[in-house]
Amino acid sequence: MPSDPVRTLSREEARRIAVRGQLLDAGDHEREAGDLPDVVAALTMLPLNPTDIVCPSAEHIALTRIRGLAADDVRRAIEVEQALVEHLGPRQHPMEAWAIGVRAMRDLPWLAPLGRDPGALHPSTVAWLEANAGFRDRVLEQLRQDGPLPQADILDTVDAPWRSSGWNTGRDVAMLLELLQIRGEAVVVERLGQARVWDLAERVLPPVEPVALEEARVTWRERWLRACGFARPKHLGDVDEPVRVEGLAGLWRLDPGATAEAFVGRVAVLAPLDRLIADRRRMVALWGFEYALEQYTPPAKRRWGVHALPMLDGDRLVGKVDARAERDRGVLRVATIHWDVDADARLADAVRDELDLLAGFQGLRLVMP
């Protein structure tokens, strides 16, 4: 029989490629705050969840890649330096659909055509926008006359209210603004706590020459694959190299520049929205790791904590930290560490150091059990 022309990665190689794609190996760990736009561009985005149960997501994810980061560097890069921009992902890509994130401003030539892609919005959403053409015009005019404006100050003059089976029913202004954000018509210019302040994109974003739509689609799939190292074909089509992974079913797609050679691991305490584990099916297949964000799980059903933090050791996911920031007391309090391995002194000390870094980053003191 002819040999299989598709090469096979070992499970260890696959894990190391995934870790390296997310800039979580030790090889390029020493970065400066000025490298933040480069890091965001390499990752394609920093998922944004401003909840401060432990630490806001974008800041936490950036800190695990940039040791020299200060707590306000991400917000400054958005609101002052305009090197980054808040962005809501269009629906074409399963792993970025409706994902609120921080993107590199330099990526606008690719993001702009993707937001205008006919497939960027679900047909029912397009129909809602069409039914609310007047609402859209009134909101844009209010921003033109009075912006930037906090979201709460934008008038709800909806023509056809948003209906859904979820929690978005009645959030007409929020839904419209987020759709205008995808389409490149409105943008978040700052946050006051968790409240978003909006303005016209044309007044805030630099002018760009968008690339052709098909070029944007291909380039973004390639960029996303580079950040993953390798991924399931359903997310990428036929982009780049097909590979097999030892012990796993089916074909995967591999970034052609990815390699596990000379991998040197490190210990990191990850945010729940870290892109290394965003694809939960890949997480289980590669690491056999049991994990879920339990922020919205009833307390009695939680296994690891309301905002448990996964722990990475080299190319292994080794457990979860149940922690919470008690800002009124000035502490980051660890309730317990759920180890999935027998942790030796090296690993336990390294995790403590990472938690101490996360606490100090926010001006807090670490309290361990």
XYZ file of all heavy atoms in Angstrom, residues 211-294:
672
model
N -8.089 46.039 1.982
C -7.690 45.068 0.969
C -8.951 44.432 0.388
O -10.052 44.595 0.917
C -6.763 43.989 1.568
C -5.531 44.618 2.194
C -7.511 43.135 2.596
N -8.783 43.700 -0.700
C -9.917 43.004 -1.301
C -10.468 41.969 -0.323
O -9.720 41.397 0.489
C -9.482 42.331 -2.598
N -11.766 41.728 -0.394
C -12.432 40.858 0.565
C -11.813 39.464 0.606
O -11.538 38.933 1.691
C -13.921 40.768 0.253
C -14.749 39.827 1.137
C -14.609 40.194 2.608
C -16.216 39.844 0.700
N -11.594 38.848 -0.539
C -11.053 37.488 -0.526
C -9.642 37.467 0.059
O -9.283 36.539 0.780
C -11.059 36.893 -1.936
C -10.668 35.417 -1.977
C -11.528 34.550 -1.060
O -12.720 34.867 -0.866
O -10.992 33.553 -0.524
N -8.853 38.488 -0.232
C -7.523 38.571 0.368
C -7.633 38.696 1.887
O -6.860 38.081 2.630
C -6.767 39.769 -0.193
C -5.360 39.926 0.397
C -4.657 41.182 -0.075
O -5.152 41.838 -1.018
O -3.604 41.512 0.504
N -8.595 39.479 2.351
C -8.789 39.628 3.791
C -9.183 38.298 4.426
O -8.695 37.933 5.492
C -9.861 40.681 4.072
N -10.077 37.566 3.764
C -10.502 36.269 4.305
C -9.322 35.313 4.431
O -9.122 34.688 5.479
C -11.563 35.653 3.395
C -12.921 36.317 3.436
C -13.793 35.761 2.323
N -15.160 36.264 2.362
C -16.008 36.180 1.345
N -15.612 35.621 0.200
N -17.226 36.657 1.449
N -8.537 35.192 3.366
C -7.404 34.249 3.384
C -6.351 34.690 4.380
O -5.852 33.889 5.180
C -6.799 34.121 1.969
C -5.514 33.298 2.013
C -7.809 33.479 1.021
N -6.007 35.970 4.349
C -4.975 36.476 5.257
C -5.374 36.275 6.700
O -4.556 35.861 7.531
C -4.711 37.966 4.991
O -4.241 38.124 3.658
C -3.672 38.516 5.958
N -6.647 36.521 7.021
C -7.056 36.401 8.422
C -7.070 34.937 8.871
O -6.710 34.639 10.002
C -8.422 37.049 8.647
C -8.541 37.471 10.082
C -9.311 36.914 11.040
C -7.807 38.523 10.717
N -9.115 37.543 12.247
C -8.203 38.538 12.073
C -6.856 39.439 10.278
C -7.671 39.446 12.993
C -6.333 40.347 11.194
C -6.746 40.336 12.527
N -7.448 34.036 7.990
C -7.374 32.615 8.353
C -5.924 32.202 8.587
O -5.628 31.463 9.533
C -8.020 31.757 7.262
C -9.539 31.832 7.224
C -10.140 30.684 6.421
N -9.805 30.758 5.012
C -10.578 31.320 4.095
N -11.721 31.881 4.441
N -10.219 31.327 2.818
N -5.021 32.684 7.734
C -3.607 32.360 7.918
C -3.067 32.962 9.201
O -2.313 32.306 9.924
C -2.796 32.867 6.718
C -3.071 32.117 5.432
C -2.370 32.727 4.248
O -1.953 33.918 4.336
O -2.238 32.031 3.218
N -3.444 34.189 9.499
C -2.989 34.843 10.730
C -3.527 34.115 11.955
O -2.824 33.922 12.942
C -3.487 36.300 10.740
C -2.828 37.213 9.715
C -1.590 37.886 10.283
N -1.859 38.579 11.519
C -2.443 39.784 11.606
N -2.820 40.433 10.511
N -2.641 40.341 12.783
N -4.793 33.719 11.878
C -5.404 33.032 13.016
C -4.737 31.673 13.232
O -4.469 31.278 14.360
C -6.902 32.872 12.767
C -7.643 32.395 13.967
C -8.126 33.153 14.996
C -7.962 31.040 14.273
N -8.739 32.350 15.915
C -8.653 31.044 15.501
C -7.739 29.834 13.631
C -9.114 29.894 16.105
C -8.203 28.675 14.232
C -8.883 28.711 15.450
N -4.435 30.972 12.131
C -3.761 29.681 12.248
C -2.368 29.854 12.840
O -1.926 29.041 13.657
C -3.677 29.001 10.882
C -2.952 27.650 10.852
C -3.604 26.644 11.787
C -2.917 27.097 9.425
N -1.656 30.898 12.436
C -0.330 31.147 12.990
C -0.406 31.337 14.501
O 0.443 30.863 15.252
C 0.290 32.372 12.323
C 1.772 32.577 12.619
C 2.316 33.744 11.809
N 2.009 33.580 10.401
C 1.511 34.544 9.621
N 1.261 35.742 10.130
N 1.259 34.312 8.358
N -1.441 32.026 14.967
C -1.594 32.252 16.397
C -1.974 30.979 17.146
O -1.677 30.830 18.326
C -2.654 33.332 16.649
N -2.641 30.050 16.446
C -3.015 28.769 17.061
C -1.898 27.740 16.960
O -1.833 26.812 17.775
C -4.264 28.197 16.383
S -5.758 29.137 16.657
N -1.044 27.860 15.948
C -0.071 26.819 15.659
C -0.666 25.756 14.767
O -0.169 25.471 13.686
N -1.736 25.168 15.219
C -2.521 24.260 14.386
C -3.950 24.233 14.910
O -4.206 24.566 16.074
C -1.900 22.852 14.337
C -2.203 22.012 15.529
C -3.128 20.987 15.450
C -1.586 22.248 16.748
C -3.435 20.217 16.555
C -1.874 21.478 17.855
C -2.803 20.454 17.757
N -4.889 23.860 14.035
C -6.297 23.951 14.396
C -7.110 22.988 13.556
O -6.620 22.401 12.590
C -6.805 25.382 14.190
N -8.382 22.843 13.913
C -9.278 21.969 13.166
C -9.650 22.600 11.827
O -9.851 23.815 11.749
C -10.543 21.716 13.984
C -10.320 20.823 15.201
C -11.606 20.568 15.950
N -11.987 21.694 16.785
C -13.245 22.075 17.011
N -14.234 21.445 16.423
N -13.502 23.093 17.794
N -9.763 21.789 10.772
C -10.056 22.345 9.441
C -11.362 23.113 9.370
O -11.495 24.022 8.558
C -10.100 21.101 8.543
C -9.319 20.069 9.263
C -9.519 20.344 10.728
N -12.347 22.771 10.186
C -13.647 23.443 10.095
C -13.514 24.940 10.332
O -14.366 25.713 9.932
C -14.642 22.835 11.072
C -14.338 23.075 12.540
C -15.468 22.580 13.442
C -16.707 23.431 13.276
N -17.777 23.060 14.227
N -12.439 25.359 11.001
C -12.229 26.773 11.250
C -11.447 27.452 10.134
O -11.334 28.676 10.124
C -11.464 26.971 12.568
C -12.223 26.512 13.762
N -11.617 26.144 14.939
C -13.557 26.337 13.960
C -12.535 25.767 15.809
N -13.715 25.883 15.241
N -10.873 26.663 9.204
C -9.894 27.233 8.293
C -10.048 26.837 6.836
O -9.359 27.373 5.983
C -8.478 26.813 8.757
C -8.097 27.358 10.125
C -7.133 26.437 10.813
C -7.504 28.737 9.989
N -10.883 25.864 6.520
C -10.935 25.364 5.159
C -9.637 24.659 4.812
O -9.119 23.872 5.598
N -9.093 24.971 3.639
C -7.886 24.275 3.195
C -6.632 25.131 3.334
O -5.655 24.956 2.603
C -8.041 23.813 1.747
C -8.324 24.971 0.799
O -8.419 26.117 1.268
O -8.447 24.722 -0.414
N -6.636 26.076 4.270
C -5.464 26.922 4.486
C -4.300 26.078 4.996
O -4.432 25.293 5.928
C -5.793 28.052 5.485
C -4.528 28.747 5.946
C -6.735 29.060 4.854
N -3.145 26.211 4.371
C -1.870 25.648 4.803
C -1.879 24.121 4.904
O -2.680 23.461 4.259
C -1.404 26.346 6.081
C -1.050 27.813 5.790
O -0.417 28.053 4.763
O -1.445 28.690 6.574
N -0.983 23.562 5.721
C -0.628 22.145 5.610
C -1.563 21.225 6.399
O -1.800 21.453 7.582
C 0.807 21.951 6.109
C 1.297 20.518 6.024
C 2.676 20.339 6.630
O 3.300 21.337 7.003
O 3.107 19.167 6.748
N -2.082 20.155 5.759
C -2.837 19.158 6.528
C -1.876 18.249 7.286
O -0.823 17.859 6.766
C -3.591 18.384 5.443
C -2.726 18.498 4.229
C -2.042 19.832 4.315
N -2.208 17.931 8.522
C -1.398 17.019 9.333
C -2.323 16.124 10.145
O -3.503 16.417 10.328
C -0.451 17.771 10.303
C 0.615 18.555 9.557
C -1.244 18.679 11.240
N -1.741 15.039 10.632
C -2.411 14.205 11.622
C -1.717 14.409 12.957
O -0.551 14.796 13.015
C -2.353 12.732 11.221
C -2.989 12.440 9.860
C -3.068 10.941 9.599
N -3.408 10.676 8.210
C -4.640 10.736 7.721
N -5.649 11.051 8.532
N -4.872 10.485 6.442
N -2.448 14.124 14.020
C -1.872 14.154 15.356
C -2.041 12.774 15.960
O -3.139 12.209 15.940
C -2.546 15.216 16.252
C -1.941 15.189 17.653
C -2.400 16.611 15.633
N -0.944 12.260 16.457
C -0.932 10.899 16.999
C -2.051 10.710 18.022
O -2.182 11.475 18.970
C 0.427 10.635 17.658
C 0.620 9.239 18.174
C 1.987 9.061 18.810
O 2.620 10.083 19.152
O 2.398 7.911 18.965
N -2.893 9.698 17.782
C -3.955 9.362 18.720
C -5.233 10.153 18.549
O -6.209 9.886 19.235
N -5.243 11.142 17.618
C -6.432 11.956 17.411
C -7.029 11.664 16.042
O -6.307 11.413 15.082
C -6.102 13.444 17.520
C -5.468 13.910 18.838
C -5.329 15.428 18.829
C -6.271 13.451 20.040
N -8.326 11.724 15.961
C -9.013 11.419 14.708
C -8.941 12.587 13.739
O -8.868 13.750 14.135
C -10.476 11.072 14.998
N -8.965 12.278 12.468
C -9.116 13.285 11.427
C -7.857 14.064 11.130
O -6.801 13.863 11.718
N -8.007 14.997 10.185
C -6.916 15.872 9.790
C -7.022 17.210 10.513
O -8.113 17.668 10.849
C -6.949 16.108 8.278
C -6.627 14.917 7.373
C -6.788 15.322 5.920
C -5.223 14.393 7.647
N -5.859 17.831 10.722
C -5.767 19.156 11.295
C -5.018 20.028 10.297
O -4.453 19.531 9.335
C -5.026 19.116 12.635
C -5.701 18.275 13.669
C -5.840 16.922 13.663
C -6.342 18.738 14.864
N -6.525 16.500 14.777
C -6.842 17.596 15.538
C -6.541 19.981 15.449
C -7.524 17.678 16.746
C -7.211 20.065 16.655
C -7.705 18.925 17.290
N -5.007 21.335 10.523
C -4.236 22.239 9.668
C -3.105 22.842 10.496
O -3.300 23.259 11.638
C -5.110 23.363 9.117
C -6.368 22.929 8.423
C -6.179 21.976 7.269
N -5.443 22.545 6.144
C -5.427 22.002 4.938
N -6.115 20.876 4.701
N -4.735 22.547 3.971
N -1.923 22.890 9.897
C -0.709 23.333 10.578
C -0.174 24.597 9.924
O -0.077 24.675 8.699
C 0.347 22.233 10.523
C 1.726 22.564 11.121
C 1.636 22.665 12.636
C 2.744 21.503 10.714
N 0.191 25.572 10.738
C 0.883 26.749 10.231
C 2.232 26.311 9.662
O 3.002 25.623 10.337
C 1.087 27.753 11.363
C 2.010 28.889 10.963
O 1.838 29.430 9.856
O 2.916 29.220 11.744
N 2.558 26.679 8.419
C 3.788 26.170 7.802
C 5.063 26.600 8.514
O 6.101 25.946 8.385
C 3.725 26.723 6.372
C 2.776 27.852 6.421
C 1.780 27.514 7.492
N 5.007 27.670 9.281
C 6.197 28.108 10.004
C 6.309 27.547 11.403
O 7.278 27.825 12.125
N 5.343 26.736 11.813
C 5.316 26.248 13.191
C 6.275 25.078 13.385
O 6.411 24.221 12.514
C 3.897 25.823 13.566
N 6.914 25.028 14.542
C 7.806 23.932 14.884
C 7.859 23.779 16.393
O 7.674 24.750 17.135
C 9.225 24.177 14.341
O 10.082 23.110 14.751
C 9.805 25.488 14.867
N 8.120 22.548 16.826
C 8.315 22.279 18.252
C 9.794 22.191 18.615
O 10.129 21.972 19.780
C 7.616 20.975 18.637
N 10.662 22.378 17.628
C 12.096 22.243 17.887
C 12.582 23.318 18.856
O 12.138 24.465 18.815
C 12.880 22.360 16.573
C 12.663 21.189 15.635
C 13.481 21.303 14.369
O 14.350 22.212 14.309
O 13.243 20.509 13.440
N 13.499 22.910 19.734
C 14.135 23.812 20.703
C 13.120 24.471 21.634
O 13.364 25.569 22.150
C 14.968 24.868 19.985
N 12.001 23.806 21.847
C 10.976 24.353 22.743
C 11.497 24.382 24.177
O 12.061 23.403 24.676
C 9.719 23.494 22.670
C 8.626 23.910 23.625
C 7.711 24.885 23.267
C 8.512 23.336 24.885
C 6.691 25.262 24.132
C 7.504 23.703 25.755
C 6.587 24.674 25.376
N 11.312 25.496 24.837
C 11.628 25.624 26.265
C 10.375 26.161 26.940
O 9.912 27.258 26.632
C 12.813 26.575 26.519
C 13.074 26.685 28.016
C 14.057 26.085 25.789
N 9.823 25.387 27.842
C 8.565 25.775 28.473
C 8.756 26.689 29.664
O 9.869 26.930 30.129
N 7.653 27.203 30.139
C 7.638 28.008 31.360
C 6.302 27.804 32.053
O 5.384 27.182 31.492
C 7.869 29.484 31.053
C 6.806 30.134 30.152
C 7.192 31.585 29.903
N 6.382 32.242 28.899
C 5.316 33.010 29.160
N 4.909 33.188 30.413
N 4.651 33.591 28.184
N 6.191 28.339 33.224
C 4.954 28.261 33.998
C 4.184 29.559 33.814
O 4.759 30.652 33.856
C 5.256 28.012 35.488
C 3.976 28.132 36.326
C 5.886 26.637 35.680
N 2.892 29.444 33.570
C 2.029 30.617 33.435
C 0.672 30.301 34.043
O 0.179 29.175 33.934
C 1.873 31.018 31.970
N 0.093 31.288 34.684
C -1.276 31.198 35.192
C -2.149 31.986 34.231
O -1.998 33.201 34.100
C -1.388 31.739 36.623
C -2.844 31.718 37.091
C -0.525 30.906 37.579
N -3.031 31.293 33.531
C -3.756 31.858 32.398
C -5.093 32.461 32.804
O -5.713 32.046 33.804
C -4.002 30.770 31.351
C -2.784 29.996 30.860
C -3.221 28.921 29.870
C -1.749 30.922 30.227
N -5.566 33.388 31.998
C -6.928 33.901 32.131
C -7.910 32.878 31.570
O -7.570 32.114 30.662
C -7.065 35.221 31.383
N -9.137 32.837 32.075
C -10.119 31.881 31.559
C -10.395 32.016 30.069
O -10.766 31.043 29.419
C -11.377 32.191 32.381
C -10.853 32.750 33.658
C -9.641 33.549 33.266
N -10.236 33.223 29.504
C -10.497 33.431 28.079
C -9.235 33.351 27.237
O -9.251 33.737 26.064
C -11.173 34.788 27.857
C -12.546 34.990 28.509
C -13.134 36.332 28.104
C -13.505 33.857 28.161
N -8.149 32.845 27.793
C -6.911 32.746 27.026
C -7.143 31.936 25.765
O -7.795 30.884 25.787
C -5.812 32.108 27.875
C -4.433 32.351 27.301
O -4.104 31.735 26.273
O -3.684 33.155 27.881
N -6.574 32.389 24.637
C -6.824 31.729 23.367
C -6.204 30.337 23.291
O -6.575 29.541 22.426
C -6.303 32.584 22.216
C -6.913 33.975 22.140
C -8.422 33.947 21.961
N -8.834 33.470 20.668
C -8.781 34.184 19.543
N -8.327 35.416 19.549
N -9.177 33.663 18.401
N -5.242 30.019 24.157
C -4.676 28.671 24.143
C -5.766 27.629 24.368
O -5.700 26.526 23.815
C -3.594 28.524 25.215
C -2.890 27.169 25.248
C -2.013 26.980 24.009
C -2.056 27.005 26.526
N -6.773 27.965 25.176
C -7.822 27.004 25.523
C -9.188 27.422 25.000
O -10.205 26.871 25.417
C -7.880 26.795 27.047
C -8.111 28.123 27.774
C -6.613 26.114 27.546
C -8.417 27.972 29.254
N -9.218 28.392 24.077
C -10.506 28.888 23.578
C -11.286 27.805 22.845
O -12.514 27.731 22.952
C -10.292 30.093 22.670
N -10.576 26.972 22.080
C -11.222 25.848 21.399
C -11.247 24.690 22.391
O -10.281 23.961 22.557
C -10.438 25.475 20.141
C -11.107 24.363 19.335
O -11.996 23.675 19.878
O -10.725 24.166 18.167
N -12.381 24.522 23.069
C -12.465 23.528 24.140
C -12.297 22.107 23.603
O -11.752 21.236 24.287
C -13.797 23.651 24.875
C -14.013 24.993 25.588
C -13.013 25.187 26.711
N -13.491 26.147 27.688
C -12.880 27.290 28.006
N -11.744 27.617 27.390
N -13.380 28.079 28.920
N -12.744 21.839 22.373
C -12.569 20.499 21.811
C -11.088 20.204 21.601
O -10.621 19.097 21.871
C -13.341 20.376 20.503
C -14.857 20.297 20.692
C -15.563 20.080 19.381
N -15.147 18.839 18.729
C -15.527 18.476 17.503
N -16.325 19.280 16.801
N -15.119 17.344 16.979
N -10.352 21.182 21.109
C -8.911 20.992 20.949
C -8.240 20.837 22.307
O -7.326 20.028 22.479
C -8.301 22.180 20.184
C -6.847 21.936 19.767
C -6.228 23.140 19.110
N -5.831 24.164 20.073
C -4.838 25.014 19.878
N -4.134 25.002 18.750
N -4.547 25.927 20.793
N -8.681 21.601 23.286
C -8.127 21.521 24.636
C -8.254 20.111 25.196
O -7.292 19.536 25.724
C -8.858 22.524 25.546
C -8.437 22.502 27.007
S -9.553 23.511 28.040
C -10.975 22.413 28.160
N -9.432 19.525 25.061
C -9.654 18.175 25.579
C -8.844 17.161 24.782
O -8.223 16.249 25.346
C -11.158 17.837 25.552
C -11.390 16.373 25.913
C -11.925 18.747 26.518
N -8.830 17.321 23.454
C -8.117 16.361 22.608
C -6.620 16.368 22.883
O -5.983 15.304 22.962
C -8.383 16.669 21.133
N -6.044 17.546 23.040
C -4.590 17.643 23.211
C -4.135 17.397 24.635
O -3.115 16.750 24.869
C -4.110 19.043 22.797
C -3.812 19.306 21.344
C -3.170 20.675 21.200
C -2.891 18.246 20.774
N -4.870 17.956 25.585
C -4.415 17.925 26.967
C -5.249 17.020 27.869
O -4.834 16.752 28.997
C -4.429 19.341 27.548
C -3.309 20.204 27.052
C -2.013 20.197 27.482
C -3.373 21.222 26.043
N -1.274 21.142 26.811
C -2.090 21.778 25.905
C -4.394 21.704 25.235
C -1.787 22.802 25.012
C -4.102 22.720 24.339
C -2.814 23.257 24.233
N -6.423 16.601 27.416
C -7.301 15.866 28.304
C -7.677 16.686 29.521
O -7.896 16.157 30.616
N -7.777 17.998 29.331
C -7.954 18.940 30.432
C -9.427 19.219 30.643
O -10.158 19.575 29.714
C -7.210 20.233 30.093
C -7.100 21.227 31.212
C -6.468 20.904 32.402
C -7.599 22.514 31.059
C -6.345 21.841 33.419
C -7.477 23.460 32.065
C -6.843 23.127 33.253
N -9.892 19.053 31.854
C -11.270 19.375 32.213
C -11.308 20.795 32.736
O -10.645 21.131 33.712
C -11.786 18.419 33.296
C -12.035 17.005 32.842
C -12.720 16.204 33.931
O -13.963 16.249 34.012
O -12.002 15.564 34.718
N -12.103 21.637 32.065
C -12.160 23.034 32.487
C -13.374 23.703 31.871
O -13.754 23.417 30.731
C -10.906 23.802 32.056
C -10.971 25.264 32.432
C -10.830 25.655 33.755
C -11.227 26.238 31.474
C -10.929 26.984 34.113
C -11.327 27.570 31.818
C -11.177 27.946 33.146
O -11.291 29.254 33.510
N -13.969 24.612 32.613
C -15.034 25.469 32.090
C -15.030 26.750 32.912
O -14.725 26.737 34.116
C -16.397 24.782 32.204
N -15.338 27.857 32.260
C -15.530 29.105 32.977
C -16.851 29.018 33.728
O -17.909 28.847 33.119
C -15.545 30.285 31.998
C -15.844 31.660 32.594
C -14.825 32.032 33.651
C -15.892 32.720 31.496
N -16.798 29.110 35.043
C -17.982 28.882 35.874
C -18.573 30.175 36.429
O -19.339 30.152 37.397
C -17.631 27.918 37.006
C -17.209 26.546 36.489
C -16.842 25.570 37.585
O -16.201 26.001 38.573
O -17.191 24.386 37.459
